Amino acid sequence: MSAPYQATDIAAWFLGNIDRDAGDSITHLKLQKLVYYAQAWSLALRDEPLFDEELQAWAHGPVAESVYQTYRGAGWDALPPPKVMPVMDREMDDFLSSILATYGDFSAKHLESMTHAEQPWIEARKGLPPEARSNKPIRKNVMSIYYRDLYNQAEKNENVTAETA
């Protein structure tokens, strides 16, 4: 069965839902990381991908090739809102809102550093110098296991904290 969205749909959702009135913006680099984290947490918490496209372990972190092709002309500049917003159901809108709330305040370079310290990207880049070009896929099952373990550890820590309070 095919995933319900394209990576470009998820990217457009993020671009259309940032608080531009408050001065928020998203660069291409940051957008790629938001798309990655949305996919990773969907795999971990919903047991299904948001999109079928493989994310690749590029030197600056995870990349969806279709998102790269769509926004590559922007360079390091802030990306404009999408011309057409993808239609999402309430559950998906809430899910993506939680990803944006969790990761949206981080800078692009901070998000890059985060992905570089996490197992899925490290495994996909195994044996490559830090700045080497690569289109190796970041395996969905590795993402699912890694982020589910993070979630379970956080839940466990929260329960221990609640018990000792």
Side-chain angles (χ1 to χ4, degrees), residues 47-65:
D47 288 324
E48 61 185 19
L50 294 177
F51 50 87
D52 291 326
E53 182 178 349
E54 294 288 344
L55 290 156
Q56 299 173 9
W58 288 21
H60 292 286
V63 169
E65 177 75 25

Side-chain angles (χ1 to χ4, degrees), residues 44-87:
L45 300 177
R46 300 172 68 246
D47 288 324
E48 61 185 19
L50 294 177
F51 50 87
D52 291 326
E53 182 178 349
E54 294 288 344
L55 290 156
Q56 299 173 9
W58 288 21
H60 292 286
V63 169
E65 177 75 25
S66 65
V67 174
Y68 173 77
Q69 293 301 331
T70 301
Y71 299 105
R72 68 191 253 176
W76 299 103
D77 295 333
L79 298 171
K83 289 181 177 38
V84 177
M85 278 295 291
V87 177

